[in-house]
Amino acid sequence: MEVSHRQKPELEAMKQVWFFTVDKVGKPRGGNNNDSYDDDNNNYIPVRKEQLHYRYEVQKMIGEGGQGLVLQCLDHKTKLLVAVKMLSLPLSSSTAARQRTELEVAKELQGKASNERYGVIPVLDTFQFRGHNCLVVELLKEHNKAILDFLLYAKGRGIVHADIKPDNILLTAAGKVRVTDFGFSFYLKHKTAQNVGGTLPYMAPELLLGYDVTCAADMWGLGCTLAELATGKVLFDSPAVEEHLPCCIEILGMPPKKMVDDAPNRTLFFDSEGLPDNLSKQRPPGSLPLHRALQGHHPQLVDFVSRCLQHHVYKRDGKDIELKEVGP
């Protein structure tokens, strides 16, 4: 195995190597600056599945701006999904001084109180890689809080987003989370019929079963989104509508009997004995528990996702909607 001329001194200087890939410089990367690693704006050109600082695996770019870019990466030391803010190459003394100040301020503001009381983003790591100053922050926690804030705000206004998924969660270069795409959204007070929309792999089972849609459907989408951000894989990778419930049942087990028996669309998905029509013998109910599907991530994440993925049914009482969680 032959390493690049940049990698050899880097590896010699590293005390520990958590993740390693051989760089493909030149044409595959296409840069004109910094040994082809940088573009014309002196931003690093990321390549999926390549390493940063021999610890972070690049998954995708999630933000770009005048000061650099933000990458979603897997930290092979902690097994956490993180956001790496990679600043542009400082080619002047003034740019270098500004970047040093940014790093110093970010570290100065750290602390449990600043995080919990004042919303300061926790900095997990700082490093320099091929001349670029880098900040590492926890991705899941910031996504979680920001999306919850949005969902609470929307619920307070009687709005269901109805299509919460990773593609609709954006992270700006400044590290701000934005929820977008309101193509399936609606006001609860204006709903006159069942609203079934959104993207299938992130759709709560009760929507397919014909129950009324409320804000709890967005919590299901949040659970699916966080699971995917943590693992890089779609949690319920349903190829078709008729396969979605079996995919959910494989991980979460059978839905409560009462939920199935009372479902308006029961006969479309379940047989006379209450079993899914497309239940595969290769993936029986609960055969892939959530903690395994989340690939051994922290129990707190598993617990939170599990709470999001609860089965609910909804009963109308005049203009109000009563939310009831259905037990086994």
Side-chain angles (χ1 to χ4, degrees):
M1 179 177 62
E2 185 177 353
V3 298
S4 70
H5 73 282
R6 290 290 291 267
Q7 284 189 299
K8 185 175 180 180
E10 289 172 351
L11 286 167
E12 290 174 349
M14 295 297 296
K15 294 181 179 179
Q16 287 182 303
V17 174
W18 297 95
F19 179 66
F20 175 78
T21 56
V22 177
D23 286 351
K24 298 177 181 179
V25 297
K27 277 191 175 181
R29 198 175 295 265
N32 295 320
N33 298 316
N34 196 13
D35 286 340
S36 85
Y37 288 108
D38 292 0
D39 62 18
D40 292 340
N41 295 319
N42 300 309
N43 284 327
Y44 190 80
I45 302 174
V47 175
R48 187 171 177 270
K49 292 188 176 298
E50 281 196 347
Q51 60 85 20
L52 294 180
H53 202 50
Y54 301 94
R55 172 172 169 176
Y56 303 99
E57 179 182 356
V58 175
Q59 292 191 341
K60 61 181 179 180
M61 185 164 64
I62 53 179
E64 186 174 12
Q67 298 180 2
L69 46 85
V70 182
L71 304 174
Q72 177 179 302
C73 299
L74 176 63
D75 182 348
H76 278 265
K77 179 179 179 180
T78 65
K79 305 303 180 184
L80 293 174
L81 204 65
V82 297
V84 177
K85 183 175 182 181
M86 203 168 189
L87 302 178
S88 58
L89 195 69
L91 297 182
S92 66
S93 57
S94 59
T95 300
R98 176 181 54 76
Q99 291 188 5
R100 283 197 302 271
T101 300
E102 179 177 352
L103 295 175
E104 290 171 2
V105 169
K107 292 178 181 179
E108 178 69 24
L109 292 175
Q110 293 304 296
K112 186 176 181 180
S114 62
N115 177 23
E116 295 178 355
R117 294 179 59 185
Y118 305 115
V120 176
I121 296 177
V123 175
L124 304 178
D125 189 18
T126 61
F127 60 90
Q128 190 176 79
F129 185 68
R130 288 167 191 166
H132 293 270
N133 291 310
C134 302
L135 277 165
V136 183
V137 298
E138 186 176 348
L139 180 64
L140 276 178
K141 187 171 183 179
E142 293 309 311
H143 267 80
N144 187 3
K145 183 180 184 302
I147 301 171
L148 281 174
D149 287 344
F150 167 81
L151 293 180
L152 286 171
Y153 179 69
K155 182 179 179 181
R157 291 175 171 261
I159 296 172
V160 179
H161 183 280
D163 197 21
I164 297 295
K165 61 180 180 179
D167 285 351
N168 290 340
I169 310 298
L170 305 180
L171 187 66
T172 70
K176 301 293 185 181
V177 175
R178 296 289 183 263
V179 180
T180 186
D181 194 344
F182 301 95
F184 292 103
S185 303
F186 61 91
Y187 289 96
L188 286 170
K189 65 180 180 180
H190 293 159
K191 188 168 81 68
T192 57
Q194 293 165 3
N195 293 74
V196 178
T199 306
L200 185 61
Y202 311 94
M203 189 180 293
E206 53 264 28
L207 275 65
L208 295 181
L209 292 174
Y211 287 106
D212 290 335
V213 185
T214 73
C215 299
D218 287 341
M219 289 301 297
W220 180 281
L222 173 60
C224 296
T225 295
L226 294 179
E228 186 170 336
L229 288 174
T231 64
K233 297 180 180 179
V234 178
L235 183 62
F236 304 118
D237 195 7
S238 316
V241 170
E242 59 271 16
E243 294 292 330
H244 187 55
L245 287 176
C247 284
C248 297
I249 289 171
E250 178 187 19
I251 293 176
L252 302 176
M254 285 291 293
K257 185 176 184 300
K258 179 174 175 56
M259 178 181 178
V260 174
D261 291 344
D262 295 346
N265 295 341
R266 179 183 184 278
T267 58
L268 297 180
F269 300 99
F270 291 88
D271 61 22
S272 58
E273 297 180 358
L275 296 175
D277 290 333
N278 289 288
L279 187 63
S280 171
K281 293 181 180 179
Q282 281 70 45
R283 52 182 196 192
S287 59
L288 179 61
L290 185 60
H291 71 274
R292 281 179 47 203
L294 290 178
Q295 302 175 356
H297 279 269
H298 197 284
Q300 287 184 347
L301 173 64
V302 178
D303 179 66
F304 184 85
V305 172
S306 176
R307 291 173 184 271
C308 291
L309 302 178
Q310 295 292 324
H311 295 297
H312 294 83
V313 294
Y314 312 92
K315 295 182 178 180
R316 286 193 173 276
D317 181 14
K319 294 183 179 179
D320 296 329
I321 294 179
E322 181 182 2
L323 171 63
K324 292 183 178 292
E325 183 175 326
V326 181

